[in-house]
Amino acid sequence: MDEDERLAVCDELKQIVKVWRVLPQGEQNSSIGMQFRKATVNEATVNGGFPQVPSGSRWPFQGANAIRQFQDSCGVEINSDVPIVFTHNDLVPPNILLSPGPNPKVAAIIDFGQAGWYPAYWEYCKARRVRVDPEHFSDATQEGWWTKCLLMILDPVDDEGFYHPWLWFVLSRGI
């Protein structure tokens, strides 16, 4: 893609991410995490098609104090004003399908297997951390993704306040 096409795709991705970040979680199911069970047809109709959180699970953190549970698990204090939003949680180039030909458009975003409700900074941290097999995406392509595209799609976060605590949590918990 040339630079204009790349910018257009990044802008389109930014708009798509904005849409899923406002998906309602529902007050009665306030949680942080990703372990869902598939909803039945009746549940999908009642709950707007969204999967439900299993009860008694370590993930997600549930209830009115879900943010506190999450932060205690991380061992860090993160600003409690950070909203919990729906997150794809694997926003990497292989999961973004583009239409062929000139002026490509986002045809689909796939692999929502890790999706869930997380602090707003989570999507950026995860996308920044994931490295794709260099056989399919060169190191230069990935560097461009991290240093250019990602910054146009998601709001970057402060390393010390957000990325480093997130990284510590992820690496120490084996997630």
Side-chain angles (χ1 to χ4, degrees):
M1 289 190 294
D2 67 27
E3 188 64 19
D4 287 340
E5 291 171 331
R6 192 172 8 267
L7 291 171
V9 167
C10 288
D11 186 55
E12 191 176 3
L13 286 167
K14 181 177 183 116
Q15 299 311 311
I16 292 168
V17 169
K18 279 183 179 180
V19 169
W20 75 50
R21 289 173 74 95
V22 298
L23 288 172
Q25 184 179 35
E27 292 299 318
Q28 73 278 9
N29 290 329
S30 181
S31 63
I32 299 174
M34 68 178 201
Q35 292 183 1
F36 303 112
R37 65 177 170 81
K38 291 183 179 179
T40 65
V41 173
N42 286 341
E43 288 173 326
T45 302
V46 171
N47 297 305
F50 297 108
Q52 298 301 298
V53 176
S55 61
S57 173
R58 184 178 75 96
W59 274 92
F61 302 101
Q62 300 177 344
N65 68 345
I67 294 171
R68 172 56 40 214
Q69 292 173 45
F70 175 77
Q71 290 184 15
D72 289 348
S73 176
C74 290
V76 295
E77 183 67 33
I78 298 172
N79 183 344
S80 62
D81 293 335
V82 174
I84 304 304
V85 298
F86 188 79
T87 301
H88 179 275
N89 207 23
D90 200 14
L91 189 62
V92 293
N95 290 338
I96 302 165
L97 306 181
L98 302 177
S99 63
N103 300 315
K105 303 284 183 209
V106 176
I109 297 175
I110 61 171
D111 191 4
F112 279 78
Q114 298 177 33
W117 278 267
Y118 294 92
Y121 59 85
W122 194 277
E123 188 97 76
Y124 172 80
C125 293
K126 178 78 185 291
R128 177 178 163 183
R129 172 74 180 152
V130 174
R131 184 170 186 272
V132 179
D133 184 346
E135 183 178 318
H136 303 290
F137 289 88
S138 70
D139 287 338
T141 299
Q142 290 185 72
E143 186 67 26
W145 167 253
W146 293 319
T147 61
K148 293 179 184 176
C149 297
L150 199 55
L151 299 177
M152 289 186 267
I153 299 165
L154 299 167
D155 294 329
V157 297
D158 173 68
D159 279 356
E160 280 193 39
F162 294 95
Y163 184 67
H164 293 159
W166 176 89
L167 191 59
W168 177 86
F169 172 71
V170 169
L171 294 176
S172 68
R173 300 295 190 256
I175 293 175

